[in-house]
Structures are given as structure tokens and as C-alpha cells.
Amino acid sequence: MSASQTRTLADLKELAATTPELAETPKHEPKRDSQGRSYATGRRKNAVARVWIKPGKGEIAINGRKAAQYFARPVLRMLITQPFLVADRYNQFDVTCTVTGGGLSGQAGAVRHGISRALTHYEPDLRIILKAAGFLTRDPRVVERKKYGRAKARRSFQFSKR
């Protein structure tokens, strides 16, 4: 090593010795109510899901019905269980959920978003895993409104020469 590199290393060591210890990043506390549940709101398109999770056997109730009954398509059921599979918490939490607005696909996305957020409230350490999987990001895409003088949002009426 040259003299300038040695001097730089010595300077860095001196700098490390003089700087005060930085406080560690604050640990997030779990947010649970008196019954041991965590609450979160999930949204996708025009659907809004209010989700409560608590430790249990893995039962999922949506608007008072079982998930298999409410979401008949297997793809939608798979969608709402993804956060548990990624976090390695499958069949460890009971989910109670009310969902309004939108269609079934949007509602399933809203429930998944709500479950992910509720899991981070229950166990803050899971945030890193769920964030990396993209489950904490709210999908902001919504249907564009219809404009006057148009058939739909952008489509024109059919042109006729006569």
C-alpha cells in the first residue's frame, strides 16, 4: 500500500473512533387489541377489505362465509393464502374479513393486501419478507371514468359517413 492509502485507512479508523454510537433503528411493537387480534385495511381497484387476524387453526371467514364458499375459483383462494405461505405461517392464523366494492378479483386482492398488513401488525419482523414479495404495495390501478362524447373512457363512437 502507498503512503496515501495508509493515511486514509488511519483517518477512517480515527473517524470511527470519534463518531458517537448511532442509535439502533427502533423496533416496531406489535399492534394487537384486547382480544389478541391485529387489524388492517386492504384495498385493490374499488374493493376495500377490513381484516382481523388472530392465532388459530387457519380458518378464513369472508363476510360471514368460508373462503372456499365466497371465492369459488381456486386461483382466488390461492391468492388470499399467499401471505401466509411466504411468511411460513400457513394454518396458524384465523382470519375474519369484511369486504365491499369491486368484483371478486379485486376483492381477493384487497383481502390479500389486508392479510399482509395485518400480519405485519401482528409480527413486525415479517414486514421485510412480505415487502420483498410485493404484498404490502397497494395496487393503485382503477378503472378510468367514462367521458362525455365517448362510448367508454377513451373509445369513440363508430364513425359513419352518412
Side-chain angles (χ1 to χ4, degrees):
M1 276 198 243
S2 66
S4 63
Q5 288 177 334
T6 309
R7 179 67 185 142
T8 305
L9 290 176
D11 291 343
L12 291 175
K13 289 176 185 173
E14 292 169 13
L15 181 65
T18 59
T19 55
E21 288 296 317
L22 296 175
E24 288 187 28
T25 55
K27 294 288 180 186
H28 293 284
E29 294 295 319
K31 296 178 187 172
R32 299 179 191 149
D33 63 6
S34 59
Q35 298 175 2
R37 302 177 303 180
S38 286
Y39 168 80
T41 305
R43 294 182 183 89
R44 180 161 194 281
K45 294 187 176 181
N46 283 333
V48 179
R50 300 183 310 162
V51 179
W52 291 267
I53 65 166
K54 64 179 181 180
K57 301 174 194 163
E59 297 172 2
I60 300 175
I62 300 164
N63 290 351
R65 294 192 276 172
K66 292 187 177 185
Q69 187 182 3
Y70 193 84
F71 292 120
R73 283 188 271 168
V75 173
L76 299 179
R77 288 197 302 270
M78 179 201 67
L79 199 70
I80 62 174
T81 58
Q82 281 179 334
F84 295 119
L85 293 171
V86 168
D88 200 28
R89 301 288 188 275
Y90 192 65
N91 287 339
Q92 294 182 18
F93 288 96
D94 288 343
V95 177
T96 307
C97 173
T98 58
V99 63
T100 58
L104 283 179
S105 177
Q107 287 185 353
V111 170
R112 180 178 84 166
H113 187 230
I115 288 172
S116 302
R117 289 179 65 181
L119 273 173
T120 60
H121 291 321
Y122 196 87
E123 289 183 55
D125 297 335
L126 295 177
R127 180 174 171 80
I128 299 163
I129 299 165
L130 294 170
K131 182 82 172 165
F135 296 151
L136 296 178
T137 305
R138 189 242 196 262
D139 188 359
R141 296 176 296 170
V142 291
V143 177
E144 191 175 349
R145 78 171 191 86
K146 184 194 177 306
K147 277 72 166 193
Y148 57 87
R150 297 270 173 180
K152 293 174 24 174
R154 298 186 181 199
R155 188 192 187 293
S156 303
F157 293 112
Q158 183 172 349
F159 175 75
S160 174
K161 209 171 210 181
R162 299 177 230 269

